Amino acid sequence: AGIKYLIFGAVASAIMLFGISLFYGLSHSLDFSSREFAEKVALNPTGPVQIISFMVLGGFLFKIAAAPFHHWVPDVYESTSTPVISFLSFAPKAAGFIFISRMVAADFTNLNAILALVILLSLVVGNFAALWQNDFKRLLGYSGIAQSGFILTGLITGNNSDVYGTFFYLVAYLPITIGSFFLADFIRKKARTLDIPSMARLGKKYPLLALNALIILISLVGLPPTIGFLAKLVVFSSLADAASVSPGYLLYGLLIFGLFNAAIALYYYLRPAYMMIMRDPAEKGAGFSYDLLITLVLSYFSFTLIYLFLKPDFISEWVSGVF
C-alpha cells in the first residue's frame, strides 16, 4: 500500500508540475488568479488549455481521491491505522478542494467539462466497486472516491454560483468520516475481522454498537435525520441551479446520474447494518454485552450527526464566513 501510494503520488505530482510549467510558458506567470494570466491564456485554443488544466488538477485529484487518480485508495485505507487514515481521508481532501475551488473561481477557462468527467468517473468507480466489497475498510475506501465526486458537484459553476455547497459538504463530512473509521476499529475489536458477512452476530450481542453503526451509515448514504442528508441536498441544489442557467443537458444529466448513484449507495452502506441487526448470529447463544468505551465514542458521533441535522446553522455560518 505504501509503495502504491508513493508511485501514484509521484506520477500525479509530475503530471501536475508539467502542467504548471506549460501554463508558465503560455503566460510567464504562476498567478492564475491575475488578469494578465487570464488574458494571455485566452490567446490560446480552448482544447490545449483544457488539457493543461486537467494536468494541473491531476496532483490535487490524487489528494482528494477522485478518479482517475484513485488507485491507491482501497489498499491504503485497508492497511492504515484509524488515526492516520482519519487524517488522510480528510485533511488532504480539504486542501485539494480549496485549491480546485480557487482555480474554478479564477475563471481563466471553463472547467465544467473537466469537473463533470471527473465526477462521472468518481461516482461510477466508487459506487460500483463498493458494491462487491466484503472488507469494511475497503468499502469505506471506495465510498471515499464516490464522496469526492459528490463534493465536486458543488464546484460546477453557473451564473451567480459559488462554492458554498462544496465546503458545507466538506465540513459535514468530517464527523461522518472520522465516526466511520472509529466504527471500523470497534467492529474489528469485537468481531476480530472486518469481513462484512462475519458481522452477523454483532447486532444481538452489541445492540448499541449496531444502533450507532446504523446512524453513521445512513449519514454516509445521505438520509435524514443526519447531516449527510443536508450535505447532499446542498450540493445537488447547487448543481441544479448551475444546470438551469447552462446551455445543453450535460449538467441535468449529471444531476440525474448523481441522484441515481446516491440510490445505489443505499445497498452497500446499509449492508453492514443489515448484517448486524437482521441476520442470525453466527455464534448461537451469544448473550447481550455492553462496552462503555464503544458506546460513548460512537454515541458522540451519532449525536453530532443528528444534532447538526437539526442545527446546521453553525456549519452554514462558518462556511459562509470563511469561504
Side-chain angles (χ1 to χ4, degrees):
I3 292 173
K4 180 176 283 190
Y5 187 85
L6 172 66
I7 292 173
F8 280 101
V11 172
S13 297
I15 293 172
M16 176 187 68
L17 291 171
F18 186 53
I20 291 173
S21 71
L22 291 175
F23 267 140
Y24 185 78
L26 295 177
S27 65
H28 298 279
S29 172
L30 294 178
D31 183 5
F32 58 81
S33 62
S34 68
R35 179 180 297 180
E36 178 187 3
F37 182 91
E39 289 175 350
K40 291 186 176 179
V41 168
L43 298 176
N44 299 274
T46 302
V49 172
Q50 293 276 301
I51 293 172
I52 297 171
S53 298
F54 181 72
M55 293 172 67
V56 173
L57 290 173
F60 297 94
L61 295 176
F62 171 84
K63 292 297 184 184
I64 68 173
F69 298 90
H70 66 280
H71 297 281
W72 60 275
V73 176
D75 291 330
V76 172
Y77 275 46
E78 182 182 15
S79 306
T80 310
S81 64
T82 296
V84 176
I85 198 58
S86 296
F87 177 82
L88 280 178
S89 64
F90 181 79
K93 281 189 177 184
F97 281 115
I98 288 172
F99 175 85
I100 295 171
S101 68
R102 290 179 178 175
M103 195 166 171
V104 171
D107 199 28
F108 58 85
T109 187
N110 192 325
L111 296 175
N112 278 359
I114 295 174
L115 293 177
L117 175 63
V118 172
I119 291 167
L120 289 171
L121 288 174
S122 299
L123 293 179
V124 169
V125 170
N127 283 316
F128 285 92
L131 290 173
W132 314 108
Q133 300 306 311
N134 281 324
D135 184 273
F136 187 56
K137 264 195 169 180
R138 289 185 71 86
L139 184 148
L140 292 177
Y142 281 110
S143 80
I145 298 169
Q147 295 287 356
S148 292
F150 286 123
I151 298 173
L152 279 173
T153 59
L155 296 179
I156 296 289
T157 56
N159 291 345
N160 301 319
S161 63
D162 54 33
V163 296
Y164 171 82
T166 286
F167 290 107
F168 184 94
Y169 198 124
L170 194 61
V171 175
Y173 186 60
L174 176 59
I176 299 174
T177 187
I178 296 177
S180 64
F181 283 112
F182 270 106
L183 173 64
D185 230 24
F186 289 136
I187 289 174
R188 186 196 295 275
K189 178 182 177 182
K190 296 304 178 185
R192 308 298 181 192
T193 180
L194 286 175
D195 185 57
I196 293 175
S198 300
M199 297 178 186
R201 62 188 171 88
L202 289 181
K204 293 184 179 180
K205 189 173 183 181
Y206 302 100
L208 295 177
L209 170 63
L211 176 62
N212 284 293
L214 178 63
I215 294 172
I216 293 171
L217 290 170
I218 66 172
S219 189
L220 282 167
V221 175
L223 294 177
T226 64
I227 188 61
F229 170 76
L230 293 182
K232 280 192 169 62
L233 178 65
V234 169
V235 295
F236 282 134
S237 298
S238 175
L239 181 58
D241 290 341
S244 66
V245 296
S246 298
Y249 297 98
L250 172 64
L251 298 188
Y252 278 117
L254 186 62
L255 176 62
I256 295 170
F257 189 75
L259 292 171
F260 171 71
N261 275 267
I264 290 175
L266 277 168
Y267 171 78
Y268 67 81
Y269 278 133
L270 296 184
R271 184 172 166 233
Y274 170 79
M275 289 292 179
M276 289 184 193
I277 298 171
M278 304 301 295
R279 295 294 295 271
D280 291 331
E283 296 179 4
K284 299 297 182 181
F288 170 80
S289 184
Y290 181 83
D291 191 308
L292 180 62
L293 176 63
I294 291 177
T295 303
L296 289 178
V297 173
L298 291 183
S299 295
Y300 168 76
F301 285 107
S302 298
F303 172 79
T304 301
L305 299 179
I306 295 174
Y307 176 79
L308 290 175
F309 170 79
L310 300 173
K311 300 284 187 178
D313 295 346
F314 166 75
I315 296 180
S316 181
E317 291 173 3
W318 190 81
V319 170
S320 299
V322 174
F323 301 104

